[in-house]
Amino acid sequence: MTAVLLDGKQLAQTMQAEIAAQTAELLRTRGLRPGLAAVLVGEDPASQIYVRNKRRACDKVGIASFLHELPAAVTELDLLALIARLNADPAVHGILVQLPLPPHINEAAVVDALSPFKDVDGFSPHSLGLLAAGRPRFLPCTPHGVLQLLVRNNIPVAGAHVVVIGRSNIVGKPLALILMQKGIDATVTVCHSRSKNLADWTRSADIVVAALGKARFLRADMVRPGAVVVDVGINRLPDGTLVGDVDFEAVRQVASAITPVPGGVGPMTITMLLYNTLQAARSV
Ligand code: NAP
């Protein structure tokens, strides 16, 4: 068997075209242009690239983006004052604080200060609490992208056993919460670095999601023939090659469907940020 490719690049284009149409409609009917404020602290090159890509994606779909660049030495108080201004700014519907922040700043304090109505990354305790309570407002972008990749490719999720490898606050844990929501209805097992007999769990899965950050960790013998495999990992090998957490060439021989890296979950993450920003503007 050779797995069908779950093409995130293609789906991201399709969804961004939908978001662009809905953004234009909002402007036409209510004179409202969704706005995303990006807060970038310091000069980390990776963070600069992420923010640039997010702003380009905003431009493409007609969402206004506002960049706030602060020096690495900015005080926590000044950063919190900026967040307070953005919380109150009616042109800003979503606020994105690019993480990580410099070590002298308490990241949790900054995330906690975001208005729950503008937390388009979905990382704040408020957003995660609503999700855990079964009435989500903003779904965190990467796990939401995983869900869209499954649903829009007609992969049955209701009743399926999904094994998620990884329990981070930005991927594994919210993904498990999303998949077990009423109406999505997966049976979810979450594995982590202390899980025993991991391969026994992964082999029992209809869908395996690898989100642990270890290059080519998931081997073909850890996957039940016919299972669906989603690879969230992004790992750079010493020679510069980008690979996921799945041994792609081997696993595609046993899986029925699989996401590539790059071009799988990655492009979906930015798309879901645009989606959340549009939702934030619509609910004003
Ligand atoms: P993280 O915060 O480092 O969390 C990794 C998780 O994997 C932890 O829960 C850890 O367990 C678990 N883990 C580590 N080694 C393991 C092992 N040998 N067996 C089982 N579980 C193990 O990473 P993250 O932020 O969730 O990111 C995970 C990967 O996704 C990374 O490659 C990251 O670059 C990528 N990522 C991609 C996107 C995207 O847009 N595509 C977005 C975010 C992240 P413990 O909790 O026990 O330590």
Side-chain angles (χ1 to χ4, degrees), residues 6-13 149 259-260 263-265 267-268 271:
L6 303 175
D7 186 342
K9 209 169 156 193
Q10 177 66 53
L11 179 56
Q13 274 177 17
L149 267 171
T259 60
V265 175
M268 294 302 295
T271 305

Side-chain angles (χ1 to χ4, degrees), residues 20 27 29 32 37 56 62 92 108 118 140 155 158 170 175 193 196 221 223 232 243 255 262 269 283:
L27 188 60
T29 56
L32 194 63
R56 275 192 189 147
V92 171
K118 298 191 177 186
I155 308 277
I170 62 167
L175 178 60
S193 68
K196 284 184 187 160
D221 64 337
V223 176
V232 180
V243 298
T269 298
S283 52

Side-chain angles (χ1 to χ4, degrees), residues 70-90:
L70 301 173
V74 70
T75 64
E76 189 174 311
L77 217 56
D78 283 347
L79 179 53
L80 289 173
L82 171 63
I83 301 289
R85 282 202 302 281
L86 297 175
N87 282 344
D89 184 342

Side-chain angles (χ1 to χ4, degrees), residues 21-208:
Q22 290 165 21
T23 300
E25 172 80 2
L26 193 64
L27 188 60
R28 195 174 58 76
T29 56
R30 290 181 53 197
L32 194 63
R33 183 185 291 283
L36 176 72
V39 179
L40 178 61
V41 181
E43 287 175 4
D44 175 52
S47 293
Q48 286 174 330
I49 291 171
Y50 290 141
V51 168
R52 193 178 65 212
N53 290 343
K54 289 168 187 173
R55 296 192 70 213
R56 275 192 189 147
C58 283
D59 285 348
K60 254 177 63 189
V61 300
I63 291 177
S65 73
F66 314 102
L67 176 61
H68 296 267
E69 286 182 288
L70 301 173
V74 70
T75 64
E76 189 174 311
L77 217 56
D78 283 347
L79 179 53
L80 289 173
L82 171 63
I83 301 289
R85 282 202 302 281
L86 297 175
N87 282 344
D89 184 342
V92 171
H93 303 96
I95 304 170
L96 157 85
V97 180
Q98 186 63 46
L99 303 179
L101 295 171
H104 68 278
I105 292 178
N106 179 351
E107 247 173 45
V110 174
V111 173
D112 288 358
L114 292 171
S115 159
F117 298 99
K118 298 191 177 186
D119 173 33
V120 287
D121 260 336
F123 291 159
S124 77
H126 194 104
S127 299
L128 291 173
L130 285 174
L131 174 59
R135 44 195 185 97
R137 181 178 295 134
F138 298 118
L139 296 179
C141 301
T142 300
H144 191 190
V146 171
L147 177 71
Q148 290 298 325
L149 267 171
L150 295 171
V151 170
R152 297 250 188 160
N153 283 287
N154 299 314
I155 308 277
V157 177
H161 180 209
V162 184
V163 172
V164 179
I165 315 174
R167 58 174 165 182
S168 74
N169 284 333
I170 62 167
V171 188
K173 198 186 291 174
L175 178 60
L177 288 170
I178 290 171
L179 291 169
M180 70 170 84
Q181 294 284 307
K182 260 197 185 307
I184 298 174
D185 297 329
T187 303
V188 186
T189 301
V190 179
C191 296
H192 46 77
S193 68
R194 307 296 299 273
S195 298
K196 284 184 187 160
N197 307 323
L198 183 76
D200 288 346
W201 290 110
T202 57
R203 273 194 295 266
S204 75
D206 302 307
I207 301 171
V208 183

